[in-house]
Every structure is written in structure tokens, then in C-alpha cells.
Amino acid sequence: MNEISRLGVLVVISSPSGTGKTTICKKLINSDKNLSLSISVTTRKKRDTEREGIDYFFKTKEDFMILKKEGQFIESALVFDNFYGTLKTQVINKLKKGIDVIIDIDWQGTRQINNFMKGNVVKIFLLPPSLKELSNRLSIRGSDSVKEIEFRMSKAVKEIEHFNEYDYVLINDNVEEVYSKINQILDVERLKLIHQNYLKNFVSKLTRK
């Protein structure tokens, strides 16, 4: 079986900001050579620690709207006064090559992706152990102002209410345990018939008279 005989698995991971999905996504990518993290386009100003093409593709609002008009996104949204979008080239091309793709995105983006993929997506939602712990995590990381933290906390409850739109829901009270569970989910999803392109020809040869 060669690499392109298997259709890649698209995995969406969502959670309120500060729940730890970015840490878990990076851990998954670093440990699995066949797993790729979709890099989003954003109009947000680049932070000092961020790198172009690694953390985001940074674009002006004008350039972003051109890409959107050209139909280059499978989803896009306005978040905190900045635009974000997922490029088709970051997802579809990789899936066709048998590469599994992870997208770190909110519930609204998940809905758009689910519609675009006609349900052919694995949806995982991460919950914080408690709202108090979530607030502590946002404060400790030091990248957000007090005003931003208050806004993210008010938004967190609304995001959590959409947990039942997902296939798998995990409480992130232990990074290693959640990481292990997501690997188990990936193992199962990769074995589903929809991703085994080579089986059609195999069965055809098997049943040939």
C-alpha cells in the first residue's frame, strides 16, 4: 500500500482559549510524522515570538479579502476585530496525499469546516477542569491583558455550551492523558473504511472470478 492509497483524516480540535489545545496540537505534530498542523491566515499583528508560515500566515485585511473573494478558504471568521481563515491548500491537498491534518479552531469555524467537508471530519472538544483553573492559565501565560482575559473568560462559557456538537469531548486536567486519548482516536479514525482507498481495488481482485 503506497502513501496516496489512504485518504488523510481531518481532525478539528476546539476549546476555550487557555484550555491547552495549542500545547496538545504541537505535541501531536512533533510525535507523528504523518500529522500536519493547518496554518491559518490572520490579519492580526504578529507577536514577537511568532514566525511567518509557522504560527500563522500574516496578511493585511486587503490581501485577506482578496483570498476570500477567490474562494481560497474552507472557513473564515472575524475574531477580536481580526480576520482568520483556513486555506484549502493547507487541508485538501494534504488529505489527498494521505497526510492527516489537525485544525485548531473554534466551534463556529468547526461548523463551516464540517459543512465544507460534508461531515467527513473528526471533531474533538477540550474542556478545562474548571473556570477558575482556566482563568489561572490565562493569567500565567502573560500574553493577554487583564481586559482580554476578562473577555476570553466571558466567551469561554458560551463556547463550552457547544460541546455537544463534537464527536469526542475530553477534560484537559492532564496533558499526557489527553494526548494519549487523542492518539487512540486517531488510530481508530485512520482505520475507518472511508479512509482506506486501496481496499476497493483489493476487494475487486479478491472477488474476481
Side-chain angles (χ1 to χ4, degrees), residues 8-14 25 28 35-38 91 95 99-105 110 113 117 120-125 166-168 182 185-187 189-190 195:
V9 178
L10 176 57
V11 180
V12 166
I13 299 183
S14 304
C25 285
L28 289 164
L35 201 55
S36 175
L37 183 65
S38 174
V91 178
L95 294 178
I99 300 171
D100 303 314
V101 178
I102 286 184
I103 300 179
D104 171 353
I105 203 166
T110 300
I113 292 171
M117 296 297 296
N120 187 21
V121 56
V122 181
K123 297 168 290 183
I124 301 173
F125 194 91
Y166 289 74
D167 304 308
Y168 303 92
I182 293 178
I185 291 169
L186 276 168
D187 287 341
E189 293 294 337
R190 284 166 169 164
H195 298 292

PDB file of all heavy atoms in Angstrom, residues 8-14 25 28 35-38 91 95 99-105 110 113 117 120-125 166-168 182 185-187 189-190 195:
ATOM      1  N   GLY A   8      -6.307  11.034   3.863  1.00  0.00           N
ATOM      2  CA  GLY A   8      -5.963  11.573   5.168  1.00  0.00           C
ATOM      3  C   GLY A   8      -7.176  11.870   6.030  1.00  0.00           C
ATOM      4  O   GLY A   8      -8.279  12.105   5.537  1.00  0.00           O
ATOM      5  N   VAL A   9      -6.965  11.870   7.333  1.00  0.00           N
ATOM      6  CA  VAL A   9      -8.013  12.171   8.312  1.00  0.00           C
ATOM      7  C   VAL A   9      -7.914  13.645   8.702  1.00  0.00           C
ATOM      8  O   VAL A   9      -6.839  14.137   9.031  1.00  0.00           O
ATOM      9  CB  VAL A   9      -7.862  11.297   9.574  1.00  0.00           C
ATOM     10  CG1 VAL A   9      -8.936  11.654  10.606  1.00  0.00           C
ATOM     11  CG2 VAL A   9      -7.946   9.821   9.222  1.00  0.00           C
ATOM     12  N   LEU A  10      -9.040  14.338   8.657  1.00  0.00           N
ATOM     13  CA  LEU A  10      -9.079  15.741   9.081  1.00  0.00           C
ATOM     14  C   LEU A  10      -9.627  15.799  10.503  1.00  0.00           C
ATOM     15  O   LEU A  10     -10.739  15.348  10.774  1.00  0.00           O
ATOM     16  CB  LEU A  10      -9.957  16.563   8.143  1.00  0.00           C
ATOM     17  CG  LEU A  10     -10.153  18.045   8.525  1.00  0.00           C
ATOM     18  CD1 LEU A  10      -8.806  18.755   8.630  1.00  0.00           C
ATOM     19  CD2 LEU A  10     -11.044  18.745   7.513  1.00  0.00           C
ATOM     20  N   VAL A  11      -8.826  16.342  11.414  1.00  0.00           N
ATOM     21  CA  VAL A  11      -9.201  16.440  12.824  1.00  0.00           C
ATOM     22  C   VAL A  11      -9.300  17.905  13.234  1.00  0.00           C
ATOM     23  O   VAL A  11      -8.369  18.683  13.034  1.00  0.00           O
ATOM     24  CB  VAL A  11      -8.172  15.737  13.730  1.00  0.00           C
ATOM     25  CG1 VAL A  11      -8.585  15.841  15.196  1.00  0.00           C
ATOM     26  CG2 VAL A  11      -8.008  14.277  13.331  1.00  0.00           C
ATOM     27  N   VAL A  12     -10.443  18.273  13.805  1.00  0.00           N
ATOM     28  CA  VAL A  12     -10.624  19.618  14.328  1.00  0.00           C
ATOM     29  C   VAL A  12     -10.597  19.550  15.851  1.00  0.00           C
ATOM     30  O   VAL A  12     -11.277  18.712  16.454  1.00  0.00           O
ATOM     31  CB  VAL A  12     -11.973  20.225  13.867  1.00  0.00           C
ATOM     32  CG1 VAL A  12     -12.313  21.459  14.681  1.00  0.00           C
ATOM     33  CG2 VAL A  12     -11.922  20.580  12.394  1.00  0.00           C
ATOM     34  N   ILE A  13      -9.773  20.390  16.461  1.00  0.00           N
ATOM     35  CA  ILE A  13      -9.714  20.451  17.919  1.00  0.00           C
ATOM     36  C   ILE A  13     -10.118  21.852  18.367  1.00  0.00           C
ATOM     37  O   ILE A  13      -9.535  22.848  17.924  1.00  0.00           O
ATOM     38  CB  ILE A  13      -8.314  20.115  18.449  1.00  0.00           C
ATOM     39  CG1 ILE A  13      -7.923  18.687  18.036  1.00  0.00           C
ATOM     40  CG2 ILE A  13      -8.262  20.256  19.962  1.00  0.00           C
ATOM     41  CD1 ILE A  13      -6.574  18.231  18.565  1.00  0.00           C
ATOM     42  N   SER A  14     -11.125  21.923  19.227  1.00  0.00           N
ATOM     43  CA  SER A  14     -11.633  23.200  19.716  1.00  0.00           C
ATOM     44  C   SER A  14     -11.627  23.226  21.236  1.00  0.00           C
ATOM     45  O   SER A  14     -11.699  22.176  21.889  1.00  0.00           O
ATOM     46  CB  SER A  14     -13.062  23.449  19.225  1.00  0.00           C
ATOM     47  OG  SER A  14     -13.170  23.384  17.828  1.00  0.00           O
ATOM     48  N   CYS A  25      -1.754  20.120  20.442  1.00  0.00           N
ATOM     49  CA  CYS A  25      -1.580  20.023  18.986  1.00  0.00           C
ATOM     50  C   CYS A  25      -0.104  19.931  18.618  1.00  0.00           C
ATOM     51  O   CYS A  25       0.291  19.115  17.778  1.00  0.00           O
ATOM     52  CB  CYS A  25      -2.223  21.224  18.292  1.00  0.00           C
ATOM     53  SG  CYS A  25      -4.027  21.159  18.208  1.00  0.00           S
ATOM     54  N   LEU A  28       1.249  16.507  19.445  1.00  0.00           N
ATOM     55  CA  LEU A  28       0.806  15.511  18.471  1.00  0.00           C
ATOM     56  C   LEU A  28       1.621  15.597  17.188  1.00  0.00           C
ATOM     57  O   LEU A  28       2.061  14.578  16.637  1.00  0.00           O
ATOM     58  CB  LEU A  28      -0.677  15.711  18.158  1.00  0.00           C
ATOM     59  CG  LEU A  28      -1.671  15.344  19.267  1.00  0.00           C
ATOM     60  CD1 LEU A  28      -3.039  15.944  18.968  1.00  0.00           C
ATOM     61  CD2 LEU A  28      -1.782  13.830  19.411  1.00  0.00           C
ATOM     62  N   LEU A  35       1.287  13.557  10.518  1.00  0.00           N
ATOM     63  CA  LEU A  35       0.297  14.505  11.009  1.00  0.00           C
ATOM     64  C   LEU A  35       0.785  15.925  10.755  1.00  0.00           C
ATOM     65  O   LEU A  35       1.922  16.273  11.082  1.00  0.00           O
ATOM     66  CB  LEU A  35       0.085  14.279  12.510  1.00  0.00           C
ATOM     67  CG  LEU A  35      -1.206  14.770  13.152  1.00  0.00           C
ATOM     68  CD1 LEU A  35      -2.436  14.224  12.456  1.00  0.00           C
ATOM     69  CD2 LEU A  35      -1.220  14.380  14.629  1.00  0.00           C
ATOM     70  N   SER A  36      -0.081  16.743  10.149  1.00  0.00           N
ATOM     71  CA  SER A  36       0.293  18.115   9.804  1.00  0.00           C
ATOM     72  C   SER A  36      -0.680  19.098  10.439  1.00  0.00           C
ATOM     73  O   SER A  36      -1.892  18.875  10.436  1.00  0.00           O
ATOM     74  CB  SER A  36       0.292  18.291   8.283  1.00  0.00           C
ATOM     75  OG  SER A  36       0.539  19.631   7.920  1.00  0.00           O
ATOM     76  N   LEU A  37      -0.151  20.173  10.983  1.00  0.00           N
ATOM     77  CA  LEU A  37      -0.996  21.209  11.570  1.00  0.00           C
ATOM     78  C   LEU A  37      -1.321  22.265  10.524  1.00  0.00           C
ATOM     79  O   LEU A  37      -0.423  22.830   9.901  1.00  0.00           O
ATOM     80  CB  LEU A  37      -0.292  21.875  12.753  1.00  0.00           C
ATOM     81  CG  LEU A  37      -1.091  22.948  13.508  1.00  0.00           C
ATOM     82  CD1 LEU A  37      -2.312  22.336  14.181  1.00  0.00           C
ATOM     83  CD2 LEU A  37      -0.205  23.632  14.545  1.00  0.00           C
ATOM     84  N   SER A  38      -2.598  22.496  10.294  1.00  0.00           N
ATOM     85  CA  SER A  38      -3.014  23.521   9.340  1.00  0.00           C
ATOM     86  C   SER A  38      -2.658  24.903   9.884  1.00  0.00           C
ATOM     87  O   SER A  38      -2.993  25.237  11.017  1.00  0.00           O
ATOM     88  CB  SER A  38      -4.529  23.417   9.111  1.00  0.00           C
ATOM     89  OG  SER A  38      -4.977  24.488   8.299  1.00  0.00           O
ATOM     90  N   VAL A  91      -5.256  22.123   3.650  1.00  0.00           N
ATOM     91  CA  VAL A  91      -6.062  20.977   4.084  1.00  0.00           C
ATOM     92  C   VAL A  91      -6.291  19.956   2.971  1.00  0.00           C
ATOM     93  O   VAL A  91      -5.826  18.814   3.043  1.00  0.00           O
ATOM     94  CB  VAL A  91      -7.432  21.452   4.635  1.00  0.00           C
ATOM     95  CG1 VAL A  91      -8.286  20.257   5.035  1.00  0.00           C
ATOM     96  CG2 VAL A  91      -7.236  22.389   5.821  1.00  0.00           C
ATOM     97  N   LEU A  95      -4.741  16.066   2.489  1.00  0.00           N
ATOM     98  CA  LEU A  95      -5.607  14.903   2.684  1.00  0.00           C
ATOM     99  C   LEU A  95      -5.532  13.962   1.491  1.00  0.00           C
ATOM    100  O   LEU A  95      -5.494  12.740   1.648  1.00  0.00           O
ATOM    101  CB  LEU A  95      -7.060  15.349   2.902  1.00  0.00           C
ATOM    102  CG  LEU A  95      -7.365  16.147   4.178  1.00  0.00           C
ATOM    103  CD1 LEU A  95      -8.832  16.545   4.208  1.00  0.00           C
ATOM    104  CD2 LEU A  95      -7.012  15.341   5.429  1.00  0.00           C
ATOM    105  N   ILE A  99      -1.998  12.532   3.985  1.00  0.00           N
ATOM    106  CA  ILE A  99      -1.488  13.188   5.195  1.00  0.00           C
ATOM    107  C   ILE A  99      -2.666  13.588   6.082  1.00  0.00           C
ATOM    108  O   ILE A  99      -3.633  14.191   5.615  1.00  0.00           O
ATOM    109  CB  ILE A  99      -0.660  14.437   4.835  1.00  0.00           C
ATOM    110  CG1 ILE A  99       0.535  14.044   3.969  1.00  0.00           C
ATOM    111  CG2 ILE A  99      -0.198  15.163   6.092  1.00  0.00           C
ATOM    112  CD1 ILE A  99       1.292  15.223   3.386  1.00  0.00           C
ATOM    113  N   ASP A 100      -2.594  13.258   7.362  1.00  0.00           N
ATOM    114  CA  ASP A 100      -3.631  13.644   8.303  1.00  0.00           C
ATOM    115  C   ASP A 100      -3.404  15.092   8.736  1.00  0.00           C
ATOM    116  O   ASP A 100      -2.262  15.526   8.915  1.00  0.00           O
ATOM    117  CB  ASP A 100      -3.615  12.720   9.524  1.00  0.00           C
ATOM    118  CG  ASP A 100      -3.776  11.258   9.127  1.00  0.00           C
ATOM    119  OD1 ASP A 100      -4.664  10.981   8.311  1.00  0.00           O
ATOM    120  OD2 ASP A 100      -3.010  10.417   9.632  1.00  0.00           O
ATOM    121  N   VAL A 101      -4.492  15.829   8.905  1.00  0.00           N
ATOM    122  CA  VAL A 101      -4.399  17.260   9.200  1.00  0.00           C
ATOM    123  C   VAL A 101      -5.168  17.608  10.476  1.00  0.00           C
ATOM    124  O   VAL A 101      -6.297  17.151  10.667  1.00  0.00           O
ATOM    125  CB  VAL A 101      -4.955  18.106   8.032  1.00  0.00           C
ATOM    126  CG1 VAL A 101      -4.898  19.597   8.362  1.00  0.00           C
ATOM    127  CG2 VAL A 101      -4.176  17.815   6.747  1.00  0.00           C
ATOM    128  N   ILE A 102      -4.542  18.418  11.329  1.00  0.00           N
ATOM    129  CA  ILE A 102      -5.202  18.933  12.525  1.00  0.00           C
ATOM    130  C   ILE A 102      -5.459  20.420  12.337  1.00  0.00           C
ATOM    131  O   ILE A 102      -4.586  21.168  11.893  1.00  0.00           O
ATOM    132  CB  ILE A 102      -4.339  18.728  13.786  1.00  0.00           C
ATOM    133  CG1 ILE A 102      -4.344  17.257  14.200  1.00  0.00           C
ATOM    134  CG2 ILE A 102      -4.868  19.563  14.941  1.00  0.00           C
ATOM    135  CD1 ILE A 102      -3.586  16.992  15.485  1.00  0.00           C
ATOM    136  N   ILE A 103      -6.675  20.849  12.690  1.00  0.00           N
ATOM    137  CA  ILE A 103      -7.014  22.268  12.670  1.00  0.00           C
ATOM    138  C   ILE A 103      -7.408  22.697  14.073  1.00  0.00           C
ATOM    139  O   ILE A 103      -8.300  22.101  14.689  1.00  0.00           O
ATOM    140  CB  ILE A 103      -8.169  22.573  11.696  1.00  0.00           C
ATOM    141  CG1 ILE A 103      -7.802  22.166  10.274  1.00  0.00           C
ATOM    142  CG2 ILE A 103      -8.526  24.058  11.735  1.00  0.00           C
ATOM    143  CD1 ILE A 103      -8.911  22.410   9.262  1.00  0.00           C
ATOM    144  N   ASP A 104      -6.747  23.706  14.578  1.00  0.00           N
ATOM    145  CA  ASP A 104      -7.040  24.287  15.894  1.00  0.00           C
ATOM    146  C   ASP A 104      -7.977  25.471  15.653  1.00  0.00           C
ATOM    147  O   ASP A 104      -7.552  26.509  15.142  1.00  0.00           O
ATOM    148  CB  ASP A 104      -5.703  24.737  16.522  1.00  0.00           C
ATOM    149  CG  ASP A 104      -5.881  25.556  17.782  1.00  0.00           C
ATOM    150  OD1 ASP A 104      -7.019  25.906  18.131  1.00  0.00           O
ATOM    151  OD2 ASP A 104      -4.869  25.864  18.428  1.00  0.00           O
ATOM    152  N   ILE A 105      -9.266  25.311  16.018  1.00  0.00           N
ATOM    153  CA  ILE A 105     -10.248  26.329  15.647  1.00  0.00           C
ATOM    154  C   ILE A 105     -11.439  26.310  16.598  1.00  0.00           C
ATOM    155  O   ILE A 105     -11.640  25.346  17.351  1.00  0.00           O
ATOM    156  CB  ILE A 105     -10.714  26.089  14.194  1.00  0.00           C
ATOM    157  CG1 ILE A 105     -11.264  27.365  13.567  1.00  0.00           C
ATOM    158  CG2 ILE A 105     -11.710  24.936  14.114  1.00  0.00           C
ATOM    159  CD1 ILE A 105     -11.408  27.276  12.070  1.00  0.00           C
ATOM    160  N   THR A 110     -15.567  25.301  13.156  1.00  0.00           N
ATOM    161  CA  THR A 110     -15.832  23.863  13.032  1.00  0.00           C
ATOM    162  C   THR A 110     -17.102  23.612  12.231  1.00  0.00           C
ATOM    163  O   THR A 110     -17.157  22.705  11.396  1.00  0.00           O
ATOM    164  CB  THR A 110     -15.957  23.221  14.427  1.00  0.00           C
ATOM    165  OG1 THR A 110     -14.733  23.402  15.143  1.00  0.00           O
ATOM    166  CG2 THR A 110     -16.250  21.736  14.316  1.00  0.00           C
ATOM    167  N   ILE A 113     -16.285  24.167   8.558  1.00  0.00           N
ATOM    168  CA  ILE A 113     -15.461  23.078   8.028  1.00  0.00           C
ATOM    169  C   ILE A 113     -16.292  21.811   7.863  1.00  0.00           C
ATOM    170  O   ILE A 113     -16.170  21.096   6.869  1.00  0.00           O
ATOM    171  CB  ILE A 113     -14.260  22.816   8.957  1.00  0.00           C
ATOM    172  CG1 ILE A 113     -13.292  24.011   8.897  1.00  0.00           C
ATOM    173  CG2 ILE A 113     -13.526  21.528   8.559  1.00  0.00           C
ATOM    174  CD1 ILE A 113     -12.191  23.962   9.921  1.00  0.00           C
ATOM    175  N   MET A 117     -16.725  19.923   4.360  1.00  0.00           N
ATOM    176  CA  MET A 117     -16.249  18.543   4.232  1.00  0.00           C
ATOM    177  C   MET A 117     -17.405  17.540   4.203  1.00  0.00           C
ATOM    178  O   MET A 117     -17.177  16.333   4.145  1.00  0.00           O
ATOM    179  CB  MET A 117     -15.316  18.203   5.402  1.00  0.00           C
ATOM    180  CG  MET A 117     -14.031  19.010   5.440  1.00  0.00           C
ATOM    181  SD  MET A 117     -12.965  18.742   4.003  1.00  0.00           S
ATOM    182  CE  MET A 117     -12.561  16.999   4.205  1.00  0.00           C
ATOM    183  N   ASN A 120     -17.193  14.813   6.799  1.00  0.00           N
ATOM    184  CA  ASN A 120     -16.005  13.956   6.821  1.00  0.00           C
ATOM    185  C   ASN A 120     -14.876  14.612   7.613  1.00  0.00           C
ATOM    186  O   ASN A 120     -13.820  14.967   7.080  1.00  0.00           O
ATOM    187  CB  ASN A 120     -15.546  13.645   5.393  1.00  0.00           C
ATOM    188  CG  ASN A 120     -14.427  12.621   5.360  1.00  0.00           C
ATOM    189  OD1 ASN A 120     -14.240  11.853   6.303  1.00  0.00           O
ATOM    190  ND2 ASN A 120     -13.686  12.609   4.262  1.00  0.00           N
ATOM    191  N   VAL A 121     -15.128  14.787   8.903  1.00  0.00           N
ATOM    192  CA  VAL A 121     -14.161  15.429   9.789  1.00  0.00           C
ATOM    193  C   VAL A 121     -14.352  14.878  11.204  1.00  0.00           C
ATOM    194  O   VAL A 121     -15.470  14.581  11.615  1.00  0.00           O
ATOM    195  CB  VAL A 121     -14.334  16.969   9.763  1.00  0.00           C
ATOM    196  CG1 VAL A 121     -15.753  17.366  10.119  1.00  0.00           C
ATOM    197  CG2 VAL A 121     -13.363  17.649  10.705  1.00  0.00           C
ATOM    198  N   VAL A 122     -13.251  14.722  11.925  1.00  0.00           N
ATOM    199  CA  VAL A 122     -13.297  14.246  13.304  1.00  0.00           C
ATOM    200  C   VAL A 122     -13.233  15.468  14.220  1.00  0.00           C
ATOM    201  O   VAL A 122     -12.266  16.232  14.179  1.00  0.00           O
ATOM    202  CB  VAL A 122     -12.110  13.302  13.606  1.00  0.00           C
ATOM    203  CG1 VAL A 122     -12.183  12.806  15.046  1.00  0.00           C
ATOM    204  CG2 VAL A 122     -12.101  12.141  12.631  1.00  0.00           C
ATOM    205  N   LYS A 123     -14.257  15.636  15.051  1.00  0.00           N
ATOM    206  CA  LYS A 123     -14.357  16.839  15.875  1.00  0.00           C
ATOM    207  C   LYS A 123     -14.101  16.518  17.350  1.00  0.00           C
ATOM    208  O   LYS A 123     -14.789  15.703  17.938  1.00  0.00           O
ATOM    209  CB  LYS A 123     -15.739  17.473  15.706  1.00  0.00           C
ATOM    210  CG  LYS A 123     -16.015  17.958  14.275  1.00  0.00           C
ATOM    211  CD  LYS A 123     -17.481  18.297  14.067  1.00  0.00           C
ATOM    212  CE  LYS A 123     -18.336  17.056  14.070  1.00  0.00           C
ATOM    213  NZ  LYS A 123     -19.772  17.337  13.795  1.00  0.00           N
ATOM    214  N   ILE A 124     -13.094  17.189  17.909  1.00  0.00           N
ATOM    215  CA  ILE A 124     -12.713  16.968  19.311  1.00  0.00           C
ATOM    216  C   ILE A 124     -12.809  18.287  20.079  1.00  0.00           C
ATOM    217  O   ILE A 124     -12.295  19.310  19.629  1.00  0.00           O
ATOM    218  CB  ILE A 124     -11.278  16.424  19.421  1.00  0.00           C
ATOM    219  CG1 ILE A 124     -11.153  15.101  18.650  1.00  0.00           C
ATOM    220  CG2 ILE A 124     -10.883  16.226  20.881  1.00  0.00           C
ATOM    221  CD1 ILE A 124      -9.724  14.571  18.565  1.00  0.00           C
ATOM    222  N   PHE A 125     -13.465  18.254  21.227  1.00  0.00           N
ATOM    223  CA  PHE A 125     -13.589  19.459  22.056  1.00  0.00           C
ATOM    224  C   PHE A 125     -12.904  19.213  23.398  1.00  0.00           C
ATOM    225  O   PHE A 125     -13.114  18.180  24.036  1.00  0.00           O
ATOM    226  CB  PHE A 125     -15.060  19.807  22.295  1.00  0.00           C
ATOM    227  CG  PHE A 125     -15.268  21.189  22.838  1.00  0.00           C
ATOM    228  CD1 PHE A 125     -15.462  22.266  21.973  1.00  0.00           C
ATOM    229  CD2 PHE A 125     -15.272  21.434  24.201  1.00  0.00           C
ATOM    230  CE1 PHE A 125     -15.638  23.554  22.461  1.00  0.00           C
ATOM    231  CE2 PHE A 125     -15.450  22.719  24.703  1.00  0.00           C
ATOM    232  CZ  PHE A 125     -15.637  23.781  23.827  1.00  0.00           C
ATOM    233  N   TYR A 166     -19.700  18.049  19.004  1.00  0.00           N
ATOM    234  CA  TYR A 166     -18.446  17.358  18.703  1.00  0.00           C
ATOM    235  C   TYR A 166     -18.577  15.837  18.857  1.00  0.00           C
ATOM    236  O   TYR A 166     -19.469  15.331  19.537  1.00  0.00           O
ATOM    237  CB  TYR A 166     -17.328  17.899  19.599  1.00  0.00           C
ATOM    238  CG  TYR A 166     -16.923  19.306  19.202  1.00  0.00           C
ATOM    239  CD1 TYR A 166     -17.751  20.392  19.489  1.00  0.00           C
ATOM    240  CD2 TYR A 166     -15.755  19.550  18.495  1.00  0.00           C
ATOM    241  CE1 TYR A 166     -17.419  21.682  19.088  1.00  0.00           C
ATOM    242  CE2 TYR A 166     -15.405  20.827  18.095  1.00  0.00           C
ATOM    243  CZ  TYR A 166     -16.244  21.890  18.390  1.00  0.00           C
ATOM    244  OH  TYR A 166     -15.918  23.156  17.981  1.00  0.00           O
ATOM    245  N   ASP A 167     -17.658  15.112  18.220  1.00  0.00           N
ATOM    246  CA  ASP A 167     -17.652  13.645  18.282  1.00  0.00           C
ATOM    247  C   ASP A 167     -17.032  13.147  19.582  1.00  0.00           C
ATOM    248  O   ASP A 167     -17.457  12.129  20.138  1.00  0.00           O
ATOM    249  CB  ASP A 167     -16.856  13.067  17.100  1.00  0.00           C
ATOM    250  CG  ASP A 167     -17.387  13.550  15.759  1.00  0.00           C
ATOM    251  OD1 ASP A 167     -18.598  13.413  15.531  1.00  0.00           O
ATOM    252  OD2 ASP A 167     -16.590  14.066  14.952  1.00  0.00           O
ATOM    253  N   TYR A 168     -15.999  13.841  20.035  1.00  0.00           N
ATOM    254  CA  TYR A 168     -15.295  13.453  21.253  1.00  0.00           C
ATOM    255  C   TYR A 168     -15.112  14.692  22.139  1.00  0.00           C
ATOM    256  O   TYR A 168     -14.745  15.758  21.647  1.00  0.00           O
ATOM    257  CB  TYR A 168     -13.909  12.881  20.931  1.00  0.00           C
ATOM    258  CG  TYR A 168     -13.930  11.694  19.991  1.00  0.00           C
ATOM    259  CD1 TYR A 168     -13.812  11.884  18.609  1.00  0.00           C
ATOM    260  CD2 TYR A 168     -14.050  10.399  20.468  1.00  0.00           C
ATOM    261  CE1 TYR A 168     -13.828  10.798  17.739  1.00  0.00           C
ATOM    262  CE2 TYR A 168     -14.067   9.307  19.603  1.00  0.00           C
ATOM    263  CZ  TYR A 168     -13.954   9.519  18.242  1.00  0.00           C
ATOM    264  OH  TYR A 168     -13.970   8.451  17.376  1.00  0.00           O
ATOM    265  N   ILE A 182      -6.188  11.224  22.406  1.00  0.00           N
ATOM    266  CA  ILE A 182      -6.329  11.710  21.032  1.00  0.00           C
ATOM    267  C   ILE A 182      -5.576  10.792  20.062  1.00  0.00           C
ATOM    268  O   ILE A 182      -6.034  10.547  18.943  1.00  0.00           O
ATOM    269  CB  ILE A 182      -5.840  13.168  20.907  1.00  0.00           C
ATOM    270  CG1 ILE A 182      -6.778  14.092  21.701  1.00  0.00           C
ATOM    271  CG2 ILE A 182      -5.812  13.608  19.433  1.00  0.00           C
ATOM    272  CD1 ILE A 182      -6.367  15.547  21.699  1.00  0.00           C
ATOM    273  N   ILE A 185      -7.841   7.983  19.412  1.00  0.00           N
ATOM    274  CA  ILE A 185      -8.893   8.411  18.485  1.00  0.00           C
ATOM    275  C   ILE A 185      -8.371   8.393  17.054  1.00  0.00           C
ATOM    276  O   ILE A 185      -9.039   7.902  16.137  1.00  0.00           O
ATOM    277  CB  ILE A 185      -9.403   9.824  18.858  1.00  0.00           C
ATOM    278  CG1 ILE A 185     -10.167   9.780  20.175  1.00  0.00           C
ATOM    279  CG2 ILE A 185     -10.297  10.391  17.744  1.00  0.00           C
ATOM    280  CD1 ILE A 185     -10.487  11.151  20.750  1.00  0.00           C
ATOM    281  N   LEU A 186      -7.161   8.913  16.851  1.00  0.00           N
ATOM    282  CA  LEU A 186      -6.550   8.929  15.519  1.00  0.00           C
ATOM    283  C   LEU A 186      -6.369   7.514  14.970  1.00  0.00           C
ATOM    284  O   LEU A 186      -6.644   7.255  13.794  1.00  0.00           O
ATOM    285  CB  LEU A 186      -5.197   9.637  15.574  1.00  0.00           C
ATOM    286  CG  LEU A 186      -5.208  11.157  15.478  1.00  0.00           C
ATOM    287  CD1 LEU A 186      -3.842  11.719  15.841  1.00  0.00           C
ATOM    288  CD2 LEU A 186      -5.622  11.606  14.088  1.00  0.00           C
ATOM    289  N   ASP A 187      -5.916   6.601  15.818  1.00  0.00           N
ATOM    290  CA  ASP A 187      -5.711   5.213  15.386  1.00  0.00           C
ATOM    291  C   ASP A 187      -7.013   4.610  14.867  1.00  0.00           C
ATOM    292  O   ASP A 187      -7.032   3.931  13.828  1.00  0.00           O
ATOM    293  CB  ASP A 187      -5.181   4.366  16.546  1.00  0.00           C
ATOM    294  CG  ASP A 187      -3.727   4.669  16.865  1.00  0.00           C
ATOM    295  OD1 ASP A 187      -3.031   5.242  15.995  1.00  0.00           O
ATOM    296  OD2 ASP A 187      -3.286   4.339  17.980  1.00  0.00           O
ATOM    297  N   GLU A 189      -9.831   6.287  13.829  1.00  0.00           N
ATOM    298  CA  GLU A 189     -10.351   7.016  12.671  1.00  0.00           C
ATOM    299  C   GLU A 189      -9.592   6.655  11.398  1.00  0.00           C
ATOM    300  O   GLU A 189     -10.171   6.588  10.315  1.00  0.00           O
ATOM    301  CB  GLU A 189     -10.278   8.525  12.919  1.00  0.00           C
ATOM    302  CG  GLU A 189     -11.203   9.032  14.026  1.00  0.00           C
ATOM    303  CD  GLU A 189     -12.671   8.891  13.679  1.00  0.00           C
ATOM    304  OE1 GLU A 189     -13.003   8.831  12.474  1.00  0.00           O
ATOM    305  OE2 GLU A 189     -13.501   8.841  14.610  1.00  0.00           O
ATOM    306  N   ARG A 190      -8.302   6.412  11.517  1.00  0.00           N
ATOM    307  CA  ARG A 190      -7.496   6.047  10.348  1.00  0.00           C
ATOM    308  C   ARG A 190      -7.898   4.703   9.759  1.00  0.00           C
ATOM    309  O   ARG A 190      -7.674   4.439   8.579  1.00  0.00           O
ATOM    310  CB  ARG A 190      -6.010   6.019  10.733  1.00  0.00           C
ATOM    311  CG  ARG A 190      -5.386   7.396  10.874  1.00  0.00           C
ATOM    312  CD  ARG A 190      -4.050   7.336  11.580  1.00  0.00           C
ATOM    313  NE  ARG A 190      -3.343   8.612  11.495  1.00  0.00           N
ATOM    314  CZ  ARG A 190      -2.309   8.936  12.270  1.00  0.00           C
ATOM    315  NH1 ARG A 190      -1.862   8.087  13.184  1.00  0.00           N
ATOM    316  NH2 ARG A 190      -1.722  10.115  12.127  1.00  0.00           N
ATOM    317  N   HIS A 195     -11.404   6.046   4.712  1.00  0.00           N
ATOM    318  CA  HIS A 195     -10.017   6.481   4.506  1.00  0.00           C
ATOM    319  C   HIS A 195      -9.154   5.428   3.815  1.00  0.00           C
ATOM    320  O   HIS A 195      -8.008   5.700   3.464  1.00  0.00           O
ATOM    321  CB  HIS A 195      -9.390   6.867   5.851  1.00  0.00           C
ATOM    322  CG  HIS A 195     -10.073   8.009   6.525  1.00  0.00           C
ATOM    323  ND1 HIS A 195     -10.036   9.295   6.025  1.00  0.00           N
ATOM    324  CD2 HIS A 195     -10.854   8.054   7.626  1.00  0.00           C
ATOM    325  CE1 HIS A 195     -10.745  10.079   6.806  1.00  0.00           C
ATOM    326  NE2 HIS A 195     -11.261   9.350   7.772  1.00  0.00           N
TER     327      HIS A 195
END
